[in-house]
Amino acid sequence: MLTLETRPQWRTLLDSATLLVPDERPAIIYLETDKAPVTVTRSQFMGEVIRCAAALQTVGIGARDLVIIAHIQNLESIYGFWGALWLGAVPSMFPTLTEKLDPDHYMQSMAELTRRSEAKAVLTTDTFAPELAKRCACPVYGTSDWLPDRDEQSETTNMMLRRPKPGEIAFLQHSSGTTGLQKGVALSHQAVLNQLASYAGALELSEKDVIVSWLPLYHDMGLIAGFIQPILQGIPLVLMSPFDWVQHPALLLRAIHEYRATLCWLPNFAYNHLARRVRVRDSEGLDLSSVRAFINCSEPVRQGSHQLFLERFAANSVTANQLAVSYAMAENTFAVTQSLVGEIANTDMIDLEALQRDLRAASVAADAPHAAPQVSCGKPIANTMVKIIGDQGEVLPERSVGEVLVKSDCMLTGYYHRPDLQPFDAEGWYKTGDRGYIADGEIYIVGRSKDLIITAGKNVYPQDIEAIVYEVEGIHPGRAVVFGVPDEREGTELIAIVAEVDVTDEADRKVIYQALRQQVVRAAEVSVSFVSLVERGWLIKTSSGKTARTTNREKWLVERAEGRL
Amino acid sequence: MTETEVREKLRQFILTDLIKDLKYALTDDEGIVSGGLIDSFSLAEIGVFAEQEFNVYIPDPDLTKAKMNTLNLMVARVMRDLK
């Protein structure tokens, strides 16, 4: 296995255990509702990877070429990803077009992405390829365009012409950004290997582990923890599609029971989703005791969500010691910190008023006024450093709240084809934009950069949603505001739109109301939970004429609580 | 329980818990999922509600966007197995 001790023996991701020892052990078990599980052995996996590599080479893909995989989450996209790696090309997983999305909007952003990043090819579904091909500067291949049937493929020799060097870019992770400007986080082979070596230590990873995941592969948690890591370490991955899991959450629990899974990464909302939306009948008799850690990651951790999960699944042998936490980001490949596996993550009781007033996380008794629990993200993993700085850039002592900076041996090389974006300061620190503090060496995250909404693990910028809202007929630009509303029940932030409208006719208002929800889903693939149509003059503007999101949110919360909205 | 009662219970549930807007004029054949009013998370929630409220278990393969898109479809599915 890849550990800090064995790290010198590994050069690139092609040293992955699954590829080096292609025997009959399971590499991936793919699950779908209402279908029989598909088990892919290591040797089958290896065969498929080489088949894909040969097919990619045939369509002209070579070393260092960027290949965008905008496919549905299935085995083909997985083999395609590793096939590209095998050639020394640079694959990048990207969300596919779903029926919910506005095709025009999606294709425009794909066209922009392929143009800016000079992608060599896009791999997608047969259905979607012809339309997308009209928009993109590079070739777009549906399955049948690039991957011949098994019996039709001629030569798969002549492969492995060139091994990538450790410092070369292995793949890109696309992070979300404002107004559709997606940044490609470029990660080198050595950065990914460094991360997984350090992380294996923090997780006490062993060959007995089994990872289960429903996470999307275009998200760092799904890509690194729930995909690259198991293939690289040679431990089985039980995988399902996020679309399937969201609708049928019990699928995950059945998978844990069936395959004795030991590690599972989840964003905070998933604890609520599982606790609230798995029917009793569906969880009865399932044993979840094999799990060493459910790792809460990628949105602020709420103690209430852990509590809800514990209570709901106590009968399935879930205990507090299984509830771990990690703080992670694509720019550090993945994990920055990890709480101790096998122990409940620490909770720090702090005075919320002192936090807001003095930017100090003052420790208080649980029953003190304004006491609020902060769940620890644990200590930094090996070879990763964290510091907290104040507004003037000064390093802050423990329990002072400031911006979180990270420095490590597993950071991004840069943003792909974006020399204008410099991720590091002069000393090599990466400014995360997150706010937090350190106590007893453990990291606590208390907030994100202003206005950012994290809903169901997804980063959403309100200005992006507002831009969509302004396009809706009946809404005037500048006369709507979008903000996040923390929701205990869902364990995440929900999105609210408040828009001023002039029309008074009920039927006309309903059209606007529906259009708002629909167009946001279609353009941004996030659901709007609250829509309030208000009369002109409702929104509070700043002196410079801008809409102040925080003030308007306060007003909205008050009026909603009073039943006026 | 009559069909009318099932319909009203489901309507209240959708307005209160899913759309979160009691004033919304929801029609019986309006596409709730396709219209972007609710998302995929809500499909699982409908399953929980149907079990708790009507003691009707809708298996996962039936909890899909196509099969739960309108109030009419939900009512029919619940009525089918209502005892």
Side-chain angles (χ1 to χ4, degrees):
Chain A
M1 294 192 80
L2 171 63
T3 62
L4 288 172
E5 290 71 41
T6 64
R7 173 67 186 88
Q9 300 160 27
W10 295 63
R11 280 178 48 80
T12 69
L13 297 182
L14 300 182
D15 293 332
S16 287
T18 306
L19 299 173
L20 282 191
V21 193
D23 55 21
E24 294 314 299
R25 283 177 283 178
I28 298 174
I29 297 149
Y30 196 80
L31 303 179
E32 272 181 274
T33 292
D34 222 18
K35 285 192 185 159
V38 177
T39 300
V40 180
T41 65
R42 288 183 181 198
S43 67
Q44 285 168 334
F45 181 81
M46 177 71 165
E48 292 294 332
V49 167
I50 292 181
R51 189 165 84 92
C52 285
L56 286 171
Q57 198 177 43
T58 308
V59 296
I61 303 295
R64 298 194 198 93
D65 288 339
L66 176 63
V67 180
I68 307 269
I69 304 175
H71 207 298
I72 48 175
Q73 184 151 318
N74 62 5
L75 289 166
E76 182 189 312
S77 53
I78 285 172
Y79 300 144
F81 186 92
W82 283 89
L85 280 176
W86 191 263
L87 286 176
V90 179
S92 183
M93 292 289 194
F94 208 74
T96 188
L97 179 68
T98 63
E99 74 235 36
K100 275 199 299 189
L101 287 172
D102 175 1
D104 208 52
H105 190 273
Y106 178 89
M107 294 209 206
Q108 198 175 335
S109 64
M110 278 298 287
E112 179 71 5
L113 172 82
T114 49
R115 189 184 60 78
R116 289 183 79 109
S117 61
E118 296 176 40
K120 185 81 175 186
V122 177
L123 307 184
T124 184
T125 59
D126 278 336
T127 335
F128 181 30
E131 271 309 304
L132 189 57
K134 291 180 199 156
R135 306 288 289 266
C136 291
C138 65
V140 175
Y141 302 114
T143 309
S144 57
D145 300 325
W146 72 280
L147 192 59
D149 289 338
R150 276 173 195 80
D151 44 2
E152 283 172 22
Q153 200 160 6
S154 49
E155 278 297 302
T156 56
T157 52
N158 197 24
M159 302 299 299
M160 299 277 302
L161 300 172
R162 176 189 162 279
R163 304 285 294 203
K165 294 190 178 68
E168 284 180 21
I169 304 302
F171 54 80
L172 310 184
Q173 293 197 61
H174 278 94
S175 71
S176 51
T178 48
T179 54
L181 283 183
Q182 298 246 347
K183 291 182 289 186
V185 175
L187 296 164
S188 68
H189 287 272
Q190 69 193 15
V192 179
L193 292 175
N194 288 344
Q195 158 78 201
L196 291 176
S198 295
Y199 204 31
L203 296 169
E204 297 171 41
L205 204 69
S206 85
E207 283 172 355
K208 289 187 209 143
D209 279 309
V210 175
I211 289 174
V212 63
S213 178
W214 58 264
L215 301 162
L217 298 180
Y218 53 79
H219 187 286
D220 60 349
M221 183 161 55
L223 182 72
I224 304 298
F227 177 50
I228 305 281
Q229 173 173 257
I231 300 291
L232 186 119
Q233 296 286 17
I235 59 181
L237 166 64
V238 183
L239 188 67
M240 58 200 77
S241 141
F243 296 106
D244 206 356
W245 175 78
V246 162
Q247 296 174 34
H248 311 132
L251 194 60
L252 181 79
L253 306 182
R254 283 196 287 271
I256 292 171
H257 173 88
E258 185 75 19
Y259 298 98
R260 309 313 297 145
T262 60
L263 292 167
C264 179
W265 281 260
L266 300 169
N268 192 79
F269 80 88
Y271 293 75
N272 293 58
H273 188 53
L274 285 160
R276 294 188 50 238
R277 304 211 180 98
V278 168
R279 290 165 290 187
V280 177
R281 184 172 330 198
D282 286 338
S283 62
E284 257 168 9
L286 297 182
D287 176 12
L288 308 179
S289 64
S290 60
V291 175
R292 297 201 294 122
F294 291 102
I295 300 169
N296 194 328
C297 183
S298 94
E299 62 180 331
V301 175
R302 293 158 191 265
Q303 201 197 24
S305 301
H306 277 172
Q307 211 51 46
L308 193 69
F309 187 77
L310 268 182
E311 285 162 18
R312 172 64 181 81
F313 298 113
N316 305 94
S317 306
V318 169
T319 64
N321 291 345
Q322 290 170 310
L323 303 181
V325 177
S326 172
Y327 169 57
M329 64 198 61
E331 283 82 355
N332 199 47
T333 304
F334 180 60
V336 173
T337 71
Q338 174 64 51
S339 70
L340 289 174
V341 167
E343 291 180 22
I344 184 169
N346 285 327
T347 300
D348 191 27
M349 275 294 168
I350 60 161
D351 184 333
L352 210 53
E353 226 178 42
L355 181 82
Q356 282 151 4
R357 194 184 53 226
D358 315 325
L359 297 179
R360 283 273 307 160
S363 193
V364 290
D367 55 359
H370 316 300
Q374 294 291 328
V375 183
S376 167
C377 296
K379 292 186 172 155
I381 63 169
N383 302 323
T384 291
M385 291 182 291
V386 173
K387 70 177 180 183
I388 308 290
I389 63 164
D391 290 343
Q392 310 303 317
E394 74 284 14
V395 178
L396 297 176
E398 283 216 337
R399 293 201 169 275
S400 286
V401 174
E403 185 176 0
V404 181
L405 270 65
V406 176
K407 189 175 175 180
S408 76
D409 65 355
C410 50
M411 306 217 76
L412 73 163
T413 304
Y415 295 108
Y416 196 73
H417 285 211
R418 292 297 300 272
D420 54 317
L421 300 172
Q422 173 50 257
F424 308 111
D425 72 9
E427 290 164 4
W429 290 89
Y430 170 72
K431 293 180 81 170
T432 64
D434 295 330
R435 299 186 66 75
Y437 65 93
I438 302 175
D440 295 326
E442 300 198 358
I443 314 297
Y444 293 83
I445 304 298
V446 299
R448 299 277 164 159
S449 55
K450 59 174 183 172
D451 287 346
L452 173 68
I453 304 168
I454 306 180
T455 180
K458 184 168 177 169
N459 291 357
V460 178
Y461 293 88
Q463 55 270 41
D464 290 354
I465 308 293
E466 283 162 6
I468 300 164
V469 167
Y470 297 154
E471 295 290 312
V472 172
E473 206 176 322
I475 308 287
H476 299 288
R479 285 178 50 192
V481 68
V482 171
F483 47 80
V485 184
D487 188 279
E488 267 314 303
R489 212 164 78 112
E490 298 292 339
T492 192
E493 271 187 291
L494 301 179
I495 295 175
I497 299 175
V498 184
E500 292 181 358
V501 288
D502 295 329
V503 295
T504 49
D505 180 75
E506 273 311 312
D508 291 344
R509 287 170 75 92
K510 185 170 172 176
V511 170
I512 296 175
Y513 185 97
Q514 288 172 323
L516 282 171
R517 291 198 186 235
Q518 202 161 9
Q519 290 194 24
V520 172
V521 175
R522 284 162 64 80
E525 211 175 6
V526 291
S527 293
V528 175
S529 295
F530 304 99
V531 174
S532 297
L533 300 183
V534 294
E535 71 282 8
R536 191 188 273 261
W538 189 98
L539 291 171
I540 303 162
K541 301 259 181 176
T542 62
S543 48
S544 59
K546 288 185 178 165
T547 39
R549 294 193 188 95
T550 319
T551 343
N552 281 305
R553 174 171 59 194
E554 297 308 320
K555 180 175 178 183
W556 181 84
L557 285 169
V558 170
E559 294 206 0
R560 195 169 156 87
E562 290 170 354
R564 283 195 275 153
L565 283 176
Chain B
M1 206 178 296
T2 66
E3 184 176 319
T4 314
E5 285 167 330
V6 168
R7 187 177 299 278
E8 278 325 296
K9 278 188 187 240
L10 277 168
R11 188 194 304 280
Q12 280 310 308
F13 162 70
I14 293 166
L15 294 179
T16 313
D17 288 326
L18 305 185
I19 305 182
K20 300 180 202 298
D21 186 351
L22 287 168
K23 293 177 196 155
Y24 184 77
L26 179 71
T27 58
D28 291 353
D29 55 357
E30 169 173 357
I32 303 172
V33 187
S34 56
L37 287 173
I38 67 169
D39 59 18
S40 307
F41 292 88
S42 304
L43 291 168
E45 184 143 2
I46 293 163
V48 172
F49 183 78
E51 188 182 45
Q52 283 173 350
E53 200 62 37
F54 311 117
N55 197 25
V56 168
Y57 180 84
I58 305 173
D60 281 350
D62 284 354
L63 281 173
T64 60
K65 294 168 194 171
K67 293 180 181 176
M68 293 287 140
N69 195 27
T70 66
L71 186 57
N72 277 341
L73 282 169
M74 291 182 209
V75 172
R77 184 62 187 78
V78 168
M79 290 311 292
R80 201 192 86 183
D81 290 349
L82 192 70
K83 291 186 184 76

